[in-house]
Amino acid sequence: MLYRWRKLTVGLKFVLFYEFCRLLTDTYSKCKDSKHRCLVINKAGFVIMHNDFLSADIASESLEYVHITEKEKHMAEDLINKKYMVKKQCRNLNQLKLETFFEFQLPPEGVDMLDNGESCKRYQLSHVDGSNIFLGMLLSTFNRIPL
């Protein structure tokens, strides 16, 4: 019985993920064109949705715990340099070690670097009101790391 529930849960997650991606690309038409890529990240910088996640040959393991610093390295570096993404530390008392994490500190209007002229730093990032997620858009010329 548990196996059936697990399959149902995975199935629902896939359907919801697919519908979320479709809703996002339908709402933001630039996400559909070949010049732009869209992504959704949480407040810690983990990628929730990326255009690459819609590829038919991607494994489900490749979708979990993908961080913006891995997936869109140049964007992350620019956000860190501009102090919009701040590295912090906390103590893990169970393992007795310091752990590093990131936290976003965007201005209320978000960050718009799409028209700044530097080819490897062209992106937009905005907070989604009432949530802990951020919507981002990058020009396709922006260098990226494949999964």
Side-chain angles (χ1 to χ4, degrees), residues 98-111:
L98 277 177
E99 293 185 352
T100 302
F101 65 97
F102 288 95
E103 187 174 273
F104 281 89
Q105 297 177 353
L106 295 183
E109 68 277 4
V111 178

Side-chain angles (χ1 to χ4, degrees), residues 40-46 48 104 127-134:
V40 177
I41 55 178
N42 69 12
K43 68 178 182 177
F46 286 97
I48 298 167
F104 281 89
H127 180 252
V128 177
D129 289 337
S131 73
N132 69 342
I133 63 173
F134 298 87

Side-chain angles (χ1 to χ4, degrees), residues 48-142:
I48 298 167
M49 195 286 294
H50 191 283
N51 285 25
D52 288 354
F53 291 2
L54 301 175
S55 173
D57 59 346
I58 193 164
S60 63
E61 298 82 36
S62 301
L63 301 175
E64 295 179 6
Y65 306 112
V66 177
H67 200 267
I68 187 81
T69 55
E70 300 167 42
K71 188 67 183 150
E72 298 291 352
K73 183 178 180 182
H74 294 291
M75 178 184 182
E77 287 174 352
D78 195 56
L79 289 165
I80 291 168
N81 290 338
K82 290 180 167 70
K83 308 278 191 254
Y84 294 136
M85 194 164 107
V86 180
K87 191 183 235 184
K88 297 194 172 192
Q89 290 185 326
C90 67
R91 226 174 263 292
N92 182 331
L93 296 176
N94 291 333
Q95 296 179 355
L96 298 176
K97 67 178 187 174
L98 277 177
E99 293 185 352
T100 302
F101 65 97
F102 288 95
E103 187 174 273
F104 281 89
Q105 297 177 353
L106 295 183
E109 68 277 4
V111 178
D112 188 351
M113 302 298 291
L114 278 179
D115 299 322
N116 77 344
E118 294 183 54
S119 64
C120 67
K121 297 177 182 174
R122 297 179 119 187
Y123 63 90
Q124 279 181 336
L125 190 63
S126 300
H127 180 252
V128 177
D129 289 337
S131 73
N132 69 342
I133 63 173
F134 298 87
L135 175 62
M137 182 183 302
L138 301 91
L139 285 178
S140 286
T141 58
F142 203 75

